[in-house]
Amino acid sequence: MPGKPSGMRIRGAGRGRKSLAARADRHELYEAAVQDPPTEVELVARQFKRLRKRRGLTLREDFCGTGVFSLAWAQSHEEREAWGLDLDRETLDWGTVQRLRPAGEAVGARVHLLERNVMTGLRKRVDLVCAFNFSYWIFKTRAELLRYFKAARRGLVDDGLFFLDAFGGTEVPMRDRNERSERGFVYEWEHEHFDALTNELRCAIHFSFSDGSKIERAFAYDWRMWTLPEIKELLLEAGFSKVRFLWERSDEDGDGTGAYYEPKTADNEGLWWAYIVAER
Ligand SMILES: C[S@@+](CC[C@H](N)C(=O)[O-])C[C@H]1O[C@@H](n2cnc3c(N)ncnc32)[C@H](O)[C@@H]1O
């Protein structure tokens, strides 16, 4: 969710009155379509308790964007505190004004959104470091990703856990567009280009509206798609003692149930999405 991506365009609609696209707030649309902070907080809190037999209290959210995950962490327990790190001032400010302040002082005082490089980290060591929505895929070489994993590990207390996510599957390495109707708009995820030589993946999010207007490339990403074995190897090389993959259980219709397990093997699917937990 970096600043406004190059190539962002508002297209179409309404003479006179502003179009729905022109009136929309791309951070709000992103949050509604992509994020579910309370559910994700519950997942990491439960996994921390399962693996460490204590309650996780302090959390660093790398690539925090608007910081809604950090906020949900602080809201989940009165002793919890979160530090969100992101380079993008506009996005941090949006989160502070639109989400942190309305949440009230008691919670807001336990959420710290900092304009800072994740490589720098914090002075303070925390129970959990989380980097979600594949943001670490901006690191495109083994050397860079290893440096980041080392920085995340340095930021953890002795029994701390590092949480990441990743996606893959047969549908990913090709041009593709997927649409989903949300309340009041259509969310579109596009794979603009996948380079078979480098595994670099350029993707974008577009939003369209009932009056025919559209925000094209509201968010755009330039990533290297890392595979699970590569990620595991680099985490171990960075010094983490154990790496676990969490896979979502599905029901008879193949829909996710929200319950996760650690598979011994995993059949490749059209599209899968996994959490990764690394133990310091
Ligand atoms: C895909 S968004 C992720 C937002 C949020 N974590 C989420 O789950 O939706 C990636 C964010 O990473 C930030 N970013 C990119 N490189 C960074 C770096 N080296 N240090 C801190 N933030 C960075 C961008 O500004 C952007 O807000």
mmCIF file with all atom_site columns, all heavy atoms in Angstrom, residues 1-2 30 35 61-65 85-88 116-118 132-133 135 138-139 221, ligand 1:
data_model
loop_
_atom_site.group_PDB
_atom_site.id
_atom_site.type_symbol
_atom_site.label_atom_id
_atom_site.label_alt_id
_atom_site.label_comp_id
_atom_site.label_asym_id
_atom_site.label_entity_id
_atom_site.label_seq_id
_atom_site.pdbx_PDB_ins_code
_atom_site.Cartn_x
_atom_site.Cartn_y
_atom_site.Cartn_z
_atom_site.occupancy
_atom_site.B_iso_or_equiv
_atom_site.pdbx_formal_charge
_atom_site.auth_seq_id
_atom_site.auth_comp_id
_atom_site.auth_asym_id
_atom_site.auth_atom_id
_atom_site.pdbx_PDB_model_num
ATOM   1   N N   . MET A 1 1   ? 0.820   -1.196  0.000  1.00 0.00 ? 1   MET A N   1
ATOM   2   C CA  . MET A 1 1   ? 0.000   0.000   0.000  1.00 0.00 ? 1   MET A CA  1
ATOM   3   C C   . MET A 1 1   ? 0.862   1.258   0.000  1.00 0.00 ? 1   MET A C   1
ATOM   4   O O   . MET A 1 1   ? 0.717   2.108   0.832  1.00 0.00 ? 1   MET A O   1
ATOM   5   C CB  . MET A 1 1   ? -0.864  -0.043  1.253  1.00 0.00 ? 1   MET A CB  1
ATOM   6   C CG  . MET A 1 1   ? -2.102  0.739   1.125  1.00 0.00 ? 1   MET A CG  1
ATOM   7   S SD  . MET A 1 1   ? -3.321  0.324   2.349  1.00 0.00 ? 1   MET A SD  1
ATOM   8   C CE  . MET A 1 1   ? -2.446  -0.255  3.730  1.00 0.00 ? 1   MET A CE  1
ATOM   9   N N   . PRO A 1 2   ? 1.812   1.351   -0.907 1.00 0.00 ? 2   PRO A N   1
ATOM   10  C CA  . PRO A 1 2   ? 2.691   2.511   -0.914 1.00 0.00 ? 2   PRO A CA  1
ATOM   11  C C   . PRO A 1 2   ? 2.003   3.726   -1.472 1.00 0.00 ? 2   PRO A C   1
ATOM   12  O O   . PRO A 1 2   ? 1.193   3.575   -2.363 1.00 0.00 ? 2   PRO A O   1
ATOM   13  C CB  . PRO A 1 2   ? 3.796   2.087   -1.884 1.00 0.00 ? 2   PRO A CB  1
ATOM   14  C CG  . PRO A 1 2   ? 3.170   1.056   -2.755 1.00 0.00 ? 2   PRO A CG  1
ATOM   15  C CD  . PRO A 1 2   ? 2.016   0.460   -2.029 1.00 0.00 ? 2   PRO A CD  1
ATOM   16  N N   . TYR A 1 30  ? -9.666  -0.557  0.344  1.00 0.00 ? 30  TYR A N   1
ATOM   17  C CA  . TYR A 1 30  ? -8.659  -1.604  0.564  1.00 0.00 ? 30  TYR A CA  1
ATOM   18  C C   . TYR A 1 30  ? -8.970  -2.363  1.853  1.00 0.00 ? 30  TYR A C   1
ATOM   19  O O   . TYR A 1 30  ? -8.971  -3.595  1.882  1.00 0.00 ? 30  TYR A O   1
ATOM   20  C CB  . TYR A 1 30  ? -7.276  -0.953  0.642  1.00 0.00 ? 30  TYR A CB  1
ATOM   21  C CG  . TYR A 1 30  ? -6.141  -1.905  0.945  1.00 0.00 ? 30  TYR A CG  1
ATOM   22  C CD1 . TYR A 1 30  ? -5.462  -2.574  -0.072 1.00 0.00 ? 30  TYR A CD1 1
ATOM   23  C CD2 . TYR A 1 30  ? -5.732  -2.138  2.254  1.00 0.00 ? 30  TYR A CD2 1
ATOM   24  C CE1 . TYR A 1 30  ? -4.416  -3.436  0.204  1.00 0.00 ? 30  TYR A CE1 1
ATOM   25  C CE2 . TYR A 1 30  ? -4.688  -3.003  2.545  1.00 0.00 ? 30  TYR A CE2 1
ATOM   26  C CZ  . TYR A 1 30  ? -4.030  -3.650  1.515  1.00 0.00 ? 30  TYR A CZ  1
ATOM   27  O OH  . TYR A 1 30  ? -2.999  -4.507  1.810  1.00 0.00 ? 30  TYR A OH  1
ATOM   28  N N   . GLN A 1 35  ? -8.583  -6.570  4.157  1.00 0.00 ? 35  GLN A N   1
ATOM   29  C CA  . GLN A 1 35  ? -8.104  -6.789  5.523  1.00 0.00 ? 35  GLN A CA  1
ATOM   30  C C   . GLN A 1 35  ? -9.201  -7.295  6.459  1.00 0.00 ? 35  GLN A C   1
ATOM   31  O O   . GLN A 1 35  ? -10.376 -6.986  6.274  1.00 0.00 ? 35  GLN A O   1
ATOM   32  C CB  . GLN A 1 35  ? -7.525  -5.475  6.071  1.00 0.00 ? 35  GLN A CB  1
ATOM   33  C CG  . GLN A 1 35  ? -6.280  -5.038  5.311  1.00 0.00 ? 35  GLN A CG  1
ATOM   34  C CD  . GLN A 1 35  ? -5.766  -3.690  5.802  1.00 0.00 ? 35  GLN A CD  1
ATOM   35  O OE1 . GLN A 1 35  ? -6.472  -2.690  5.713  1.00 0.00 ? 35  GLN A OE1 1
ATOM   36  N NE2 . GLN A 1 35  ? -4.556  -3.664  6.303  1.00 0.00 ? 35  GLN A NE2 1
ATOM   37  N N   . GLU A 1 61  ? 4.418   -4.400  13.975 1.00 0.00 ? 61  GLU A N   1
ATOM   38  C CA  . GLU A 1 61  ? 3.810   -4.684  12.674 1.00 0.00 ? 61  GLU A CA  1
ATOM   39  C C   . GLU A 1 61  ? 4.676   -4.041  11.603 1.00 0.00 ? 61  GLU A C   1
ATOM   40  O O   . GLU A 1 61  ? 4.687   -2.809  11.465 1.00 0.00 ? 61  GLU A O   1
ATOM   41  C CB  . GLU A 1 61  ? 2.378   -4.123  12.600 1.00 0.00 ? 61  GLU A CB  1
ATOM   42  C CG  . GLU A 1 61  ? 1.694   -4.463  11.279 1.00 0.00 ? 61  GLU A CG  1
ATOM   43  C CD  . GLU A 1 61  ? 0.371   -3.731  11.045 1.00 0.00 ? 61  GLU A CD  1
ATOM   44  O OE1 . GLU A 1 61  ? 0.023   -2.842  11.842 1.00 0.00 ? 61  GLU A OE1 1
ATOM   45  O OE2 . GLU A 1 61  ? -0.276  -4.040  10.040 1.00 0.00 ? 61  GLU A OE2 1
ATOM   46  N N   . ASP A 1 62  ? 5.394   -4.855  10.862 1.00 0.00 ? 62  ASP A N   1
ATOM   47  C CA  . ASP A 1 62  ? 6.211   -4.319  9.769  1.00 0.00 ? 62  ASP A CA  1
ATOM   48  C C   . ASP A 1 62  ? 5.321   -4.028  8.567  1.00 0.00 ? 62  ASP A C   1
ATOM   49  O O   . ASP A 1 62  ? 4.324   -4.713  8.351  1.00 0.00 ? 62  ASP A O   1
ATOM   50  C CB  . ASP A 1 62  ? 7.304   -5.324  9.396  1.00 0.00 ? 62  ASP A CB  1
ATOM   51  C CG  . ASP A 1 62  ? 8.459   -5.297  10.405 1.00 0.00 ? 62  ASP A CG  1
ATOM   52  O OD1 . ASP A 1 62  ? 8.465   -4.409  11.287 1.00 0.00 ? 62  ASP A OD1 1
ATOM   53  O OD2 . ASP A 1 62  ? 9.346   -6.166  10.306 1.00 0.00 ? 62  ASP A OD2 1
ATOM   54  N N   . PHE A 1 63  ? 5.673   -3.011  7.769  1.00 0.00 ? 63  PHE A N   1
ATOM   55  C CA  . PHE A 1 63  ? 4.888   -2.624  6.588  1.00 0.00 ? 63  PHE A CA  1
ATOM   56  C C   . PHE A 1 63  ? 3.439   -2.361  7.008  1.00 0.00 ? 63  PHE A C   1
ATOM   57  O O   . PHE A 1 63  ? 2.503   -2.872  6.400  1.00 0.00 ? 63  PHE A O   1
ATOM   58  C CB  . PHE A 1 63  ? 4.900   -3.736  5.529  1.00 0.00 ? 63  PHE A CB  1
ATOM   59  C CG  . PHE A 1 63  ? 6.249   -4.326  5.231  1.00 0.00 ? 63  PHE A CG  1
ATOM   60  C CD1 . PHE A 1 63  ? 6.653   -5.523  5.818  1.00 0.00 ? 63  PHE A CD1 1
ATOM   61  C CD2 . PHE A 1 63  ? 7.120   -3.694  4.370  1.00 0.00 ? 63  PHE A CD2 1
ATOM   62  C CE1 . PHE A 1 63  ? 7.889   -6.083  5.537  1.00 0.00 ? 63  PHE A CE1 1
ATOM   63  C CE2 . PHE A 1 63  ? 8.359   -4.245  4.076  1.00 0.00 ? 63  PHE A CE2 1
ATOM   64  C CZ  . PHE A 1 63  ? 8.745   -5.443  4.664  1.00 0.00 ? 63  PHE A CZ  1
ATOM   65  N N   . CYS A 1 64  ? 3.240   -1.577  8.068  1.00 0.00 ? 64  CYS A N   1
ATOM   66  C CA  . CYS A 1 64  ? 1.922   -1.511  8.721  1.00 0.00 ? 64  CYS A CA  1
ATOM   67  C C   . CYS A 1 64  ? 0.878   -0.762  7.918  1.00 0.00 ? 64  CYS A C   1
ATOM   68  O O   . CYS A 1 64  ? -0.309  -0.861  8.220  1.00 0.00 ? 64  CYS A O   1
ATOM   69  C CB  . CYS A 1 64  ? 2.062   -0.902  10.107 1.00 0.00 ? 64  CYS A CB  1
ATOM   70  S SG  . CYS A 1 64  ? 2.446   0.871   10.056 1.00 0.00 ? 64  CYS A SG  1
ATOM   71  N N   . GLY A 1 65  ? 1.264   0.024   6.914  1.00 0.00 ? 65  GLY A N   1
ATOM   72  C CA  . GLY A 1 65  ? 0.268   0.786   6.164  1.00 0.00 ? 65  GLY A CA  1
ATOM   73  C C   . GLY A 1 65  ? -0.507  1.701   7.101  1.00 0.00 ? 65  GLY A C   1
ATOM   74  O O   . GLY A 1 65  ? 0.065   2.498   7.851  1.00 0.00 ? 65  GLY A O   1
ATOM   75  N N   . LEU A 1 85  ? 5.465   -0.030  11.699 1.00 0.00 ? 85  LEU A N   1
ATOM   76  C CA  . LEU A 1 85  ? 6.525   0.638   10.934 1.00 0.00 ? 85  LEU A CA  1
ATOM   77  C C   . LEU A 1 85  ? 6.151   0.682   9.454  1.00 0.00 ? 85  LEU A C   1
ATOM   78  O O   . LEU A 1 85  ? 5.781   -0.336  8.867  1.00 0.00 ? 85  LEU A O   1
ATOM   79  C CB  . LEU A 1 85  ? 7.857   -0.114  11.044 1.00 0.00 ? 85  LEU A CB  1
ATOM   80  C CG  . LEU A 1 85  ? 8.370   -0.528  12.418 1.00 0.00 ? 85  LEU A CG  1
ATOM   81  C CD1 . LEU A 1 85  ? 9.787   -1.078  12.288 1.00 0.00 ? 85  LEU A CD1 1
ATOM   82  C CD2 . LEU A 1 85  ? 8.350   0.610   13.394 1.00 0.00 ? 85  LEU A CD2 1
ATOM   83  N N   . ASP A 1 86  ? 6.258   1.865   8.884  1.00 0.00 ? 86  ASP A N   1
ATOM   84  C CA  . ASP A 1 86  ? 6.016   2.000   7.444  1.00 0.00 ? 86  ASP A CA  1
ATOM   85  C C   . ASP A 1 86  ? 6.768   3.230   6.942  1.00 0.00 ? 86  ASP A C   1
ATOM   86  O O   . ASP A 1 86  ? 7.014   4.177   7.699  1.00 0.00 ? 86  ASP A O   1
ATOM   87  C CB  . ASP A 1 86  ? 4.513   2.159   7.145  1.00 0.00 ? 86  ASP A CB  1
ATOM   88  C CG  . ASP A 1 86  ? 4.172   1.803   5.706  1.00 0.00 ? 86  ASP A CG  1
ATOM   89  O OD1 . ASP A 1 86  ? 4.498   2.589   4.798  1.00 0.00 ? 86  ASP A OD1 1
ATOM   90  O OD2 . ASP A 1 86  ? 3.588   0.719   5.480  1.00 0.00 ? 86  ASP A OD2 1
ATOM   91  N N   . LEU A 1 87  ? 7.097   3.213   5.663  1.00 0.00 ? 87  LEU A N   1
ATOM   92  C CA  . LEU A 1 87  ? 7.842   4.335   5.077  1.00 0.00 ? 87  LEU A CA  1
ATOM   93  C C   . LEU A 1 87  ? 6.925   5.439   4.567  1.00 0.00 ? 87  LEU A C   1
ATOM   94  O O   . LEU A 1 87  ? 7.380   6.535   4.294  1.00 0.00 ? 87  LEU A O   1
ATOM   95  C CB  . LEU A 1 87  ? 8.667   3.839   3.879  1.00 0.00 ? 87  LEU A CB  1
ATOM   96  C CG  . LEU A 1 87  ? 9.888   2.973   4.178  1.00 0.00 ? 87  LEU A CG  1
ATOM   97  C CD1 . LEU A 1 87  ? 10.512  2.514   2.865  1.00 0.00 ? 87  LEU A CD1 1
ATOM   98  C CD2 . LEU A 1 87  ? 10.896  3.746   5.001  1.00 0.00 ? 87  LEU A CD2 1
ATOM   99  N N   . ASP A 1 88  ? 5.631   5.124   4.439  1.00 0.00 ? 88  ASP A N   1
ATOM   100 C CA  . ASP A 1 88  ? 4.753   6.037   3.714  1.00 0.00 ? 88  ASP A CA  1
ATOM   101 C C   . ASP A 1 88  ? 3.963   6.948   4.653  1.00 0.00 ? 88  ASP A C   1
ATOM   102 O O   . ASP A 1 88  ? 2.999   6.529   5.302  1.00 0.00 ? 88  ASP A O   1
ATOM   103 C CB  . ASP A 1 88  ? 3.798   5.224   2.843  1.00 0.00 ? 88  ASP A CB  1
ATOM   104 C CG  . ASP A 1 88  ? 3.105   6.112   1.836  1.00 0.00 ? 88  ASP A CG  1
ATOM   105 O OD1 . ASP A 1 88  ? 3.804   6.766   1.055  1.00 0.00 ? 88  ASP A OD1 1
ATOM   106 O OD2 . ASP A 1 88  ? 1.871   6.172   1.862  1.00 0.00 ? 88  ASP A OD2 1
ATOM   107 N N   . ARG A 1 116 ? 9.269   4.567   9.502  1.00 0.00 ? 116 ARG A N   1
ATOM   108 C CA  . ARG A 1 116 ? 10.590  3.957   9.690  1.00 0.00 ? 116 ARG A CA  1
ATOM   109 C C   . ARG A 1 116 ? 10.759  2.737   8.783  1.00 0.00 ? 116 ARG A C   1
ATOM   110 O O   . ARG A 1 116 ? 9.804   2.008   8.525  1.00 0.00 ? 116 ARG A O   1
ATOM   111 C CB  . ARG A 1 116 ? 10.736  3.513   11.150 1.00 0.00 ? 116 ARG A CB  1
ATOM   112 C CG  . ARG A 1 116 ? 12.159  3.128   11.492 1.00 0.00 ? 116 ARG A CG  1
ATOM   113 C CD  . ARG A 1 116 ? 12.349  2.916   12.955 1.00 0.00 ? 116 ARG A CD  1
ATOM   114 N NE  . ARG A 1 116 ? 12.023  4.082   13.770 1.00 0.00 ? 116 ARG A NE  1
ATOM   115 C CZ  . ARG A 1 116 ? 12.103  4.104   15.096 1.00 0.00 ? 116 ARG A CZ  1
ATOM   116 N NH1 . ARG A 1 116 ? 12.498  3.042   15.756 1.00 0.00 ? 116 ARG A NH1 1
ATOM   117 N NH2 . ARG A 1 116 ? 11.785  5.193   15.775 1.00 0.00 ? 116 ARG A NH2 1
ATOM   118 N N   . ASN A 1 117 ? 11.988  2.520   8.364  1.00 0.00 ? 117 ASN A N   1
ATOM   119 C CA  . ASN A 1 117 ? 12.313  1.360   7.546  1.00 0.00 ? 117 ASN A CA  1
ATOM   120 C C   . ASN A 1 117 ? 12.291  0.103   8.421  1.00 0.00 ? 117 ASN A C   1
ATOM   121 O O   . ASN A 1 117 ? 12.825  0.119   9.531  1.00 0.00 ? 117 ASN A O   1
ATOM   122 C CB  . ASN A 1 117 ? 13.720  1.557   6.958  1.00 0.00 ? 117 ASN A CB  1
ATOM   123 C CG  . ASN A 1 117 ? 13.979  0.634   5.802  1.00 0.00 ? 117 ASN A CG  1
ATOM   124 O OD1 . ASN A 1 117 ? 13.621  -0.539  5.823  1.00 0.00 ? 117 ASN A OD1 1
ATOM   125 N ND2 . ASN A 1 117 ? 14.609  1.167   4.765  1.00 0.00 ? 117 ASN A ND2 1
ATOM   126 N N   . VAL A 1 118 ? 11.696  -0.956  7.916  1.00 0.00 ? 118 VAL A N   1
ATOM   127 C CA  . VAL A 1 118 ? 11.655  -2.204  8.699  1.00 0.00 ? 118 VAL A CA  1
ATOM   128 C C   . VAL A 1 118 ? 13.052  -2.740  8.972  1.00 0.00 ? 118 VAL A C   1
ATOM   129 O O   . VAL A 1 118 ? 13.269  -3.468  9.936  1.00 0.00 ? 118 VAL A O   1
ATOM   130 C CB  . VAL A 1 118 ? 10.809  -3.294  8.001  1.00 0.00 ? 118 VAL A CB  1
ATOM   131 C CG1 . VAL A 1 118 ? 9.368   -2.870  7.888  1.00 0.00 ? 118 VAL A CG1 1
ATOM   132 C CG2 . VAL A 1 118 ? 11.375  -3.641  6.626  1.00 0.00 ? 118 VAL A CG2 1
ATOM   133 N N   . PHE A 1 132 ? 2.465   -8.814  7.158  1.00 0.00 ? 132 PHE A N   1
ATOM   134 C CA  . PHE A 1 132 ? 1.380   -9.458  6.422  1.00 0.00 ? 132 PHE A CA  1
ATOM   135 C C   . PHE A 1 132 ? 1.103   -8.800  5.073  1.00 0.00 ? 132 PHE A C   1
ATOM   136 O O   . PHE A 1 132 ? 1.532   -7.697  4.794  1.00 0.00 ? 132 PHE A O   1
ATOM   137 C CB  . PHE A 1 132 ? 0.109   -9.463  7.269  1.00 0.00 ? 132 PHE A CB  1
ATOM   138 C CG  . PHE A 1 132 ? 0.170   -10.461 8.398  1.00 0.00 ? 132 PHE A CG  1
ATOM   139 C CD1 . PHE A 1 132 ? -0.452  -10.214 9.610  1.00 0.00 ? 132 PHE A CD1 1
ATOM   140 C CD2 . PHE A 1 132 ? 0.861   -11.658 8.250  1.00 0.00 ? 132 PHE A CD2 1
ATOM   141 C CE1 . PHE A 1 132 ? -0.399  -11.137 10.646 1.00 0.00 ? 132 PHE A CE1 1
ATOM   142 C CE2 . PHE A 1 132 ? 0.929   -12.584 9.279  1.00 0.00 ? 132 PHE A CE2 1
ATOM   143 C CZ  . PHE A 1 132 ? 0.292   -12.324 10.479 1.00 0.00 ? 132 PHE A CZ  1
ATOM   144 N N   . ASN A 1 133 ? 0.317   -9.547  4.331  1.00 0.00 ? 133 ASN A N   1
ATOM   145 C CA  . ASN A 1 133 ? -0.046  -9.169  2.968  1.00 0.00 ? 133 ASN A CA  1
ATOM   146 C C   . ASN A 1 133 ? 1.176   -9.113  2.053  1.00 0.00 ? 133 ASN A C   1
ATOM   147 O O   . ASN A 1 133 ? 1.251   -8.267  1.169  1.00 0.00 ? 133 ASN A O   1
ATOM   148 C CB  . ASN A 1 133 ? -0.893  -7.890  2.924  1.00 0.00 ? 133 ASN A CB  1
ATOM   149 C CG  . ASN A 1 133 ? -2.372  -8.247  3.049  1.00 0.00 ? 133 ASN A CG  1
ATOM   150 O OD1 . ASN A 1 133 ? -2.787  -9.251  2.493  1.00 0.00 ? 133 ASN A OD1 1
ATOM   151 N ND2 . ASN A 1 133 ? -3.126  -7.450  3.783  1.00 0.00 ? 133 ASN A ND2 1
ATOM   152 N N   . SER A 1 135 ? 4.129   -8.239  2.068  1.00 0.00 ? 135 SER A N   1
ATOM   153 C CA  . SER A 1 135 ? 4.889   -7.005  1.839  1.00 0.00 ? 135 SER A CA  1
ATOM   154 C C   . SER A 1 135 ? 6.388   -7.257  1.723  1.00 0.00 ? 135 SER A C   1
ATOM   155 O O   . SER A 1 135 ? 7.091   -6.506  1.052  1.00 0.00 ? 135 SER A O   1
ATOM   156 C CB  . SER A 1 135 ? 4.643   -6.028  2.980  1.00 0.00 ? 135 SER A CB  1
ATOM   157 O OG  . SER A 1 135 ? 3.269   -5.852  3.174  1.00 0.00 ? 135 SER A OG  1
ATOM   158 N N   . ILE A 1 138 ? 8.793   -7.317  -1.511 1.00 0.00 ? 138 ILE A N   1
ATOM   159 C CA  . ILE A 1 138 ? 9.514   -6.219  -2.170 1.00 0.00 ? 138 ILE A CA  1
ATOM   160 C C   . ILE A 1 138 ? 11.018  -6.506  -2.182 1.00 0.00 ? 138 ILE A C   1
ATOM   161 O O   . ILE A 1 138 ? 11.742  -5.911  -2.962 1.00 0.00 ? 138 ILE A O   1
ATOM   162 C CB  . ILE A 1 138 ? 9.301   -4.849  -1.477 1.00 0.00 ? 138 ILE A CB  1
ATOM   163 C CG1 . ILE A 1 138 ? 9.695   -4.911  -0.009 1.00 0.00 ? 138 ILE A CG1 1
ATOM   164 C CG2 . ILE A 1 138 ? 7.913   -4.317  -1.674 1.00 0.00 ? 138 ILE A CG2 1
ATOM   165 C CD1 . ILE A 1 138 ? 10.063  -3.556  0.538  1.00 0.00 ? 138 ILE A CD1 1
ATOM   166 N N   . PHE A 1 139 ? 11.471  -7.393  -1.286 1.00 0.00 ? 139 PHE A N   1
ATOM   167 C CA  . PHE A 1 139 ? 12.895  -7.750  -1.282 1.00 0.00 ? 139 PHE A CA  1
ATOM   168 C C   . PHE A 1 139 ? 13.106  -8.839  -2.334 1.00 0.00 ? 139 PHE A C   1
ATOM   169 O O   . PHE A 1 139 ? 12.553  -9.928  -2.227 1.00 0.00 ? 139 PHE A O   1
ATOM   170 C CB  . PHE A 1 139 ? 13.323  -8.203  0.116  1.00 0.00 ? 139 PHE A CB  1
ATOM   171 C CG  . PHE A 1 139 ? 13.109  -7.141  1.159  1.00 0.00 ? 139 PHE A CG  1
ATOM   172 C CD1 . PHE A 1 139 ? 12.332  -7.374  2.288  1.00 0.00 ? 139 PHE A CD1 1
ATOM   173 C CD2 . PHE A 1 139 ? 13.672  -5.872  0.993  1.00 0.00 ? 139 PHE A CD2 1
ATOM   174 C CE1 . PHE A 1 139 ? 12.123  -6.381  3.233  1.00 0.00 ? 139 PHE A CE1 1
ATOM   175 C CE2 . PHE A 1 139 ? 13.459  -4.868  1.937  1.00 0.00 ? 139 PHE A CE2 1
ATOM   176 C CZ  . PHE A 1 139 ? 12.687  -5.126  3.061  1.00 0.00 ? 139 PHE A CZ  1
ATOM   177 N N   . TYR A 1 221 ? 1.885   -3.313  -6.963 1.00 0.00 ? 221 TYR A N   1
ATOM   178 C CA  . TYR A 1 221 ? 2.993   -3.982  -6.273 1.00 0.00 ? 221 TYR A CA  1
ATOM   179 C C   . TYR A 1 221 ? 3.984   -4.541  -7.282 1.00 0.00 ? 221 TYR A C   1
ATOM   180 O O   . TYR A 1 221 ? 3.595   -5.059  -8.327 1.00 0.00 ? 221 TYR A O   1
ATOM   181 C CB  . TYR A 1 221 ? 2.462   -5.123  -5.394 1.00 0.00 ? 221 TYR A CB  1
ATOM   182 C CG  . TYR A 1 221 ? 1.364   -4.662  -4.468 1.00 0.00 ? 221 TYR A CG  1
ATOM   183 C CD1 . TYR A 1 221 ? 0.022   -4.940  -4.755 1.00 0.00 ? 221 TYR A CD1 1
ATOM   184 C CD2 . TYR A 1 221 ? 1.658   -3.901  -3.346 1.00 0.00 ? 221 TYR A CD2 1
ATOM   185 C CE1 . TYR A 1 221 ? -0.988  -4.481  -3.924 1.00 0.00 ? 221 TYR A CE1 1
ATOM   186 C CE2 . TYR A 1 221 ? 0.648   -3.445  -2.506 1.00 0.00 ? 221 TYR A CE2 1
ATOM   187 C CZ  . TYR A 1 221 ? -0.662  -3.734  -2.804 1.00 0.00 ? 221 TYR A CZ  1
ATOM   188 O OH  . TYR A 1 221 ? -1.665  -3.276  -1.989 1.00 0.00 ? 221 TYR A OH  1
HETATM 189 C C1  . LIG B 2 .   ? 1.190   -4.203  0.730  1.00 0.00 ? 1   LIG B C1  1
HETATM 190 S S1  . LIG B 2 .   ? 1.276   -2.789  1.810  1.00 0.00 ? 1   LIG B S1  1
HETATM 191 C C2  . LIG B 2 .   ? 0.857   -3.658  3.287  1.00 0.00 ? 1   LIG B C2  1
HETATM 192 C C3  . LIG B 2 .   ? -0.059  -2.963  4.204  1.00 0.00 ? 1   LIG B C3  1
HETATM 193 C C4  . LIG B 2 .   ? -0.544  -3.768  5.388  1.00 0.00 ? 1   LIG B C4  1
HETATM 194 N N1  . LIG B 2 .   ? 0.527   -4.433  6.090  1.00 0.00 ? 1   LIG B N1  1
HETATM 195 C C5  . LIG B 2 .   ? -1.570  -4.784  5.010  1.00 0.00 ? 1   LIG B C5  1
HETATM 196 O O1  . LIG B 2 .   ? -1.585  -5.875  5.575  1.00 0.00 ? 1   LIG B O1  1
HETATM 197 O O2  . LIG B 2 .   ? -2.416  -4.545  4.186  1.00 0.00 ? 1   LIG B O2  1
HETATM 198 C C6  . LIG B 2 .   ? 3.028   -2.536  1.907  1.00 0.00 ? 1   LIG B C6  1
HETATM 199 C C7  . LIG B 2 .   ? 3.497   -1.359  2.756  1.00 0.00 ? 1   LIG B C7  1
HETATM 200 O O3  . LIG B 2 .   ? 4.889   -1.497  2.970  1.00 0.00 ? 1   LIG B O3  1
HETATM 201 C C8  . LIG B 2 .   ? 5.477   -0.212  3.063  1.00 0.00 ? 1   LIG B C8  1
HETATM 202 N N2  . LIG B 2 .   ? 6.934   -0.375  2.868  1.00 0.00 ? 1   LIG B N2  1
HETATM 203 C C9  . LIG B 2 .   ? 7.602   -0.733  1.756  1.00 0.00 ? 1   LIG B C9  1
HETATM 204 N N3  . LIG B 2 .   ? 8.912   -0.864  2.013  1.00 0.00 ? 1   LIG B N3  1
HETATM 205 C C10 . LIG B 2 .   ? 9.099   -0.602  3.340  1.00 0.00 ? 1   LIG B C10 1
HETATM 206 C C11 . LIG B 2 .   ? 10.225  -0.601  4.213  1.00 0.00 ? 1   LIG B C11 1
HETATM 207 N N4  . LIG B 2 .   ? 11.454  -0.925  3.768  1.00 0.00 ? 1   LIG B N4  1
HETATM 208 N N5  . LIG B 2 .   ? 10.044  -0.286  5.508  1.00 0.00 ? 1   LIG B N5  1
HETATM 209 C C12 . LIG B 2 .   ? 8.794   0.013   5.965  1.00 0.00 ? 1   LIG B C12 1
HETATM 210 N N6  . LIG B 2 .   ? 7.683   0.010   5.188  1.00 0.00 ? 1   LIG B N6  1
HETATM 211 C C13 . LIG B 2 .   ? 7.827   -0.291  3.891  1.00 0.00 ? 1   LIG B C13 1
HETATM 212 C C14 . LIG B 2 .   ? 4.746   0.601   2.011  1.00 0.00 ? 1   LIG B C14 1
HETATM 213 O O4  . LIG B 2 .   ? 4.817   1.972   2.268  1.00 0.00 ? 1   LIG B O4  1
HETATM 214 C C15 . LIG B 2 .   ? 3.341   0.015   2.144  1.00 0.00 ? 1   LIG B C15 1
HETATM 215 O O5  . LIG B 2 .   ? 2.537   0.813   2.993  1.00 0.00 ? 1   LIG B O5  1
#
